[in-house]
C-alpha cells in the first residue's frame, strides 16, 4: 500500500497541470492519471519545498453506485403493470416520479437522516412548549406526499380495484428515498381507512378530507398510538390509558404512550379504557375503545400532551418517535365501547401492507445499487459483474425480491378488490390470511437481503456516509413494529381458528388455481415442487387438527413461513406463465422453488413441535455453567 502511495505521489507531481479537482468527486479509473496534487511551488508564498501541502493520497477513487430511475430500472414492476394495469397515465406518472426521486427527493431523504428531529421542551422564557423540530427536508416530504397523491390515490380510486396497486407501486418507488416519510403515510392511510370504514361524518369528516388531500396546505398526517409500557404486543392487557367521559359527549384521555411514531402528526387514533361513573374500567381487550384526537390546537400547541422525550433508536432516526404523557387530551370516541381493537385492526391491516411494501422496496433499492456498482468496481482483474460467484449472490437476492414483490402486490390487489366491492368471499379470506403472512415474511427477507446487499459493496457497505448502513438499520424495524414475527404468526393461527379454517380453504383453492393455469413445460419442475409442498401442508394441517393447541403454537412461525414460500412460488410461476413474461421470470420461479417450500412439514418430521421440546428449549436457553 505504501509503495502504491509513493508511486502515485511521485506521479502526481509529474502530471500536474495546475488544475484542481475535489477529492470527493467520483473519478473513473481512466481519470486516475489526472488526479492532481498541488505541487509545493504552487503554494502561495512558498519557494521550493512547501512547509505544508496537500499530501498525495493516491490517484484512484472508486466510482460510487449511481441511483437511476427506480421505475425504469425495475423489469418486474414494469412487467407486472403491463400485465395487470396497462395504463399509459400510470406508467408515465411512475416514470416521471422515478426521475424526481433521483433528481431531488433522494437527497432530501439523506438530509432527513443526517438532520434528525429534536425536541424543544421549553421556550427561552421557561414556558413548556414541547415542540418537535424536524428538518426542512422532512417538511418537504410532507408537501410532496400530498402533491404526488401518495395517500390520495388509494381513495380517489381512479383506477377502480387497481388503485391500491397503483398507490403502493408509487410508495414502493418512494420508500427508500423517503427518509422514512412512508411511516407517517402508512398511519395516515390506516387512519383514513378506519374512518372510511366507520362512515365519514362528524367529528372526523374534516380529518378524512385532510388525510386524503393532494393539497399540501390542507394535508394532514395521522399517528397510531397503541403501544404502552406494559403492552407492545399485548395491547389488550397492557393498555392503561383511561378515557374520562365529559358532559358534552367528548372524553379526556390520561395515560402514557410509550412508542408513538412520527409524533409530529396532526391527529391520532388511539386506544383507551372508558371509566364508568365510579371511575372503574373493564380490563382486557373488551375494555378498550378507539379514540380520535387532534394533536395540536389552533395556535399549533400540543393540547393535553407532554412529550417526555424522543426515542434514541437503532434506525428510523429521520423520524420523531416519542414517549407521550396524555394529560387530559381532548378526544372523541369513534368505536363502540369495548370494540377498540377490532376497530383499529383496519388500521393495522393497512400499516402492515405498507410495512411489506417498504420491505420489498428496500430489497429492490439495495439490488439496484449493487448491480450498478458491479459494473463500476473491478477486483482481481475484472469487473464484479464478471465474477460468477458475485452474480450468483445478486441473483439469489433478486429471486427473494421478486417473490416478495409478487406477494406484496397480491395483497394490494386483494385489498383493492375488497375496497371496491369486487372481492369474493374467498378473496376476503385470502386478504385476512396473507396480510400478516406477507408482513412477517418480507420483514425478515428485507433484513437478510439488505445485509447481503451491503456486503456486495465490501467495506464501503459499512461506511456511514455512503447511506448504505442506514438502509440496514431502517430494515431492522420492519420485523418489529406493527407486530413482531411471532405475534403475527399467532395472528395467522387466530384468523384460521376464527374463520373455522375458511382462510386456509381459500388459500389452498387459490394456490391450486394459480398452478393449474401454468402450462409452460419449462416450469414443470417448479409446479411439481409447489404442488407437492401444498399436499404436504394439507396433510400436516389435517394431522395437526387432532393435536392440542400448544402443538400449533409451536409450529406457528414455520407454518407462516410455509404459507409464504408456497404462495410466492405459485405467484412466481403464475407470473412466468403470462404471455409477456421473460426468461428471467421463469428462471426466478425455478430458483425459488428449489428451496424447502414447506418447512413446517420438514420440521414436524424431525420432532420440532413435540411436547418434549419446550422444556428442552428452555433448558438450553437457561443452561448455567456449574464449573467455578
Ligand atoms: C413503512 C411502514 C411503516 C409502518 C409504521 C407504523 C408505525 C407505528 C408503530 C406502531 O404503532 S407499532 C405498534 C403496533 N402494534 C401492534 O401491531 C400490536 C401487535 N399485537 C397484535 O396485533 C395483537 O394480535 C392484538 C393487539 C391485535 C391482539 O389483541 P387482542 O385483543 O387479544 O385481539 P383479539 O381478542 O384476538 O381480537 C379482537 C378483535 O380484533 C377481534 O374482532 P371480533 O371481536 O370482531 O372477532 C379480531 O378479529 C380483531 N382483530 C385482531 N387482529 C386483527 C383483527 N382483525 C383483523 N386483522 C387483524 N390482524
Amino acid at each position: 500500500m505504501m509503495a502504491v502511495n509513493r508511486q502515485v505521489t511521485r506521479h502526481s507531481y509529474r502530471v500536474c497541470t495546475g488544475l484542481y479537482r475535489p477529492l470527493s468527486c467520483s473519478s473513473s479509473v481512466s481519470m486516475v492519471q489526472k488526479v492532481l496534487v498541488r505541487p509545493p511551488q504552487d503554494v502561495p508564498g512558498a519557494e521550493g519545498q512547501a512547509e505544508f501541502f496537500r499530501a498525495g493520497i493516491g490517484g484512484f477513487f472508486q466510482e460510487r453506485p449511481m441511483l437511476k430511475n427506480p421505475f425504469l430500472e425495475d423489469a418486474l414492476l414494469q412487467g407486472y403493470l403491463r400485465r395487470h394495469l396497462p395504463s399509459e397515465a400510470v406508467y408515465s406518472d411512475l416514470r416521471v416520479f422515478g426521475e424526481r426521486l433521483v433528481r431531488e427527493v433522494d437527497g432530501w431523504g439523506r438530509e432527513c437522516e443526517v438532520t434528525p428531529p429534536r425536541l424543544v421542551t421549553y421556550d427561552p422564557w421557561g414556558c413548556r412548549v414541547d415542540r418537535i423540530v424536524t428538518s426542512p427536508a422532512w417538511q418537504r416530504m410532507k408537501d410532496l406526499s400530498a402533491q404526488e397523491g401518495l395517500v390520495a390515490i388509494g381513495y380517489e380510486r381512479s383506477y377502480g380495484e387497481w388503485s391500491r396497486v397503483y398507490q403502493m407501486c408509487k410508495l414502493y418507488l418512494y420508500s427508500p428515498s423517503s427518509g422514512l416519510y412512508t411511516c407517517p403515510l402508512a398511519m395516515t392511510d390506516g387512519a383514513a381507512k378506519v374512518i372510511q370504514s366507520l362512515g365519514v361524518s362528524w367529528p372526523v369528516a374534516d380529518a378524512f378530507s385532510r388525510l386524503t388531500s393532494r393539497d399540501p396546505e390542507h394535508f394532514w398526517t395521522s399517528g397510531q398510538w397503541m403501544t404502552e409500557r406494559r403492552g407492545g404486543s399485548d395491547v389488550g392487557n397492557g393498555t392503561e390509558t383511561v378515557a374520562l367521559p365529559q358532559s358534552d359527549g367528548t372524553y379526556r384521555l390520561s395515560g402514557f404512550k410509550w412508542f408513538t411514531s412520527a409524533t409530529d402528526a396532526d391527529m391520532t387514533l388511539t386506544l383507551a379504557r372508558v371509566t364508568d361513573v365510579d371511575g372503574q374500567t373493564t380490563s382486557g381487550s373488551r375494555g378498550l375503545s378507539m379514540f380520535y384526537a387532534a394533536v395540536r390546537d389552533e395556535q399549533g400547541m400540543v393540547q393535553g400532551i407532554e412529550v417526555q422525550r424522543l426515542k434514541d433508536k437503532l434506525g428510523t432516526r429521520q423520524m420523531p418517535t416519542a414517549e407521550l404523557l396524555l394529560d387530559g387530551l381532548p378526544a372523541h370516541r369513534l368505536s363502540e365501547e369495548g370494540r377498540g381493537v377490532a376497530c383499529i385492526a383496519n388500521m393495522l391491516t393497512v400499516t402492515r401492507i405498507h410495512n411489506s411494501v417498504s420491505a420489498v422496496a428496500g430489497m429492490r433499492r439495495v439490488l439496484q445499487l449493487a448491480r450498478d456498482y458491479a459494473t463500476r468496481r473491478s477486483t482481481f482483474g475484472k469487473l464484479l459483474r464478471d465474477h460468477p460467484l458475485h452474480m450468483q449472490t445478486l441473483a439469489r437476492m433478486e429471486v427473494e425480491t421478486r417473490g416478495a414483490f409478487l406477494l406484496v402486490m397480491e395483497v394490494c390487489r386483494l385489498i383493492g378488490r375488497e375496497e371496491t366491492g369486487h372481492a369474493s368471499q374467498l378473496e376476503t379470506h385470502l386478504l385476512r390470511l396473507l396480510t400478516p403472512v406477507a408482513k412477517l415474511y418480507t420483514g425478515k427477507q428485507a433484513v437478510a437481503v439488505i445485509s447481503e446487499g451491503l456486503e456486495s459493496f465490501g467495506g464501503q457497505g459499512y461506511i456511514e456516509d455512503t447511506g448504505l448502513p442506514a438502509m440496514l438499520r431502517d430494515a431492522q424495524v420492519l420485523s418489529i413494529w406493527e407486530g413482531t414475527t411471532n405475534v403475527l404468526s399467532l395472528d395467522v393461527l387466530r384468523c384460521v381458528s376464527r374463520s373455522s379454517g375458511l382462510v386456509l380453504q381459500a388459500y389452498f383453492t387459490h394456490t391450486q388455481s394459480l398452478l393449474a393455469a401454468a402450462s409452460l413445460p419449462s416450469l414443470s419442475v417448479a409446479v411439481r415442487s409447489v404442488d407437492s409442498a401444498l399436499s404436504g401442508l394439507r396433510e400436516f394441517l389435517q394431522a395437526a387438527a387432532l393435536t392440542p393447541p400448544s402443538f400449533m403454537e409451536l409450529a406457528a412461525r414455520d407454518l407462516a413461513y410455509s404459507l409464504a414460500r408456497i404462495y410466492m412460488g405459485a405467484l412466481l410461476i403464475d407470473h412466468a406463465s403470462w404471455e409477456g413474461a421473460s426468461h428471467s421470470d421463469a428462471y426466478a420461479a425455478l430458483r425459488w422453488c428449489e428451496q424447502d417450500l414447506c418447512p413446517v412439514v420438514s420440521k414436524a418430521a424431525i420432532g420440532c413441535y413435540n411436547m418434549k421440546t419446550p422444556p428442552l428449549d428452555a433448558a438450553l436457553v437457561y443452561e448455567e455453567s456449574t464449573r467455578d
Side-chain angles (χ1 to χ4, degrees), residues 27 250 359 542 613:
S27 58
T250 65
Q542 278 160 0
T613 60

Side-chain angles (χ1 to χ4, degrees), residues 182-183 186-187 224 226-227 232-236 259 261 285 339 341-342 345 348-349 351-352 354-355 358 432 478 481-483 487 491 494 498:
T182 41
C183 173
M187 298 187 291
Q224 167 195 322
M226 287 179 73
T227 306
S233 298
D234 186 3
V235 176
F259 216 104
S261 293
S285 229
R339 296 292 296 158
V341 173
L348 290 177
T349 298
T351 52
R352 286 170 184 173
H354 277 256
N355 201 89
S358 287
R432 174 68 183 92
L478 296 169
W481 66 11
E482 295 308 306
V487 164
D491 188 49
R494 183 200 346 246
R498 295 243 164 128

Side-chain angles (χ1 to χ4, degrees), residues 377-397:
R377 175 71 172 170
S378 283
T379 57
F380 304 106
K382 53 187 178 183
L383 288 168
L384 282 179
R385 65 167 295 163
D386 297 324
H387 288 276
L389 186 56
H390 190 67
M391 278 303 103
Q392 180 199 68
T393 307
L394 296 195
R396 286 179 181 171
M397 292 161 60

Side-chain angles (χ1 to χ4, degrees), residues 14-34:
R14 265 205 320 276
V15 298
C16 176
T17 64
L19 293 172
Y20 272 94
R21 207 173 273 280
L23 286 179
S24 60
C25 95
S26 56
S27 58
S28 69
V29 178
S30 60
M31 290 165 66
V32 166
Q33 305 303 318
K34 291 194 177 156

Side-chain angles (χ1 to χ4, degrees), residues 481-493:
W481 66 11
E482 295 308 306
T484 61
T485 309
N486 283 352
V487 164
L488 290 174
S489 301
L490 296 173
D491 188 49
V492 168
L493 291 191

Side-chain angles (χ1 to χ4, degrees), residues 113 180 313-321 473-474 477 481:
E113 172 75 22
L180 248 288
K313 297 166 290 178
L314 169 68
T316 70
R317 294 181 191 164
Q318 312 89 324
M319 174 183 78
T321 303
R473 282 200 301 269
D474 291 347
V477 81
W481 66 11

Side-chain angles (χ1 to χ4, degrees), residues 11 20 47 84 257 267 298 342 461 480 491 549 573 578 593 598:
H11 183 73
Y20 272 94
E47 291 287 323
H84 296 291
K257 298 291 175 182
M267 60 159 273
E298 270 151 26
I480 298 175
D491 188 49
I573 290 169
W578 166 57
C593 294
C598 197

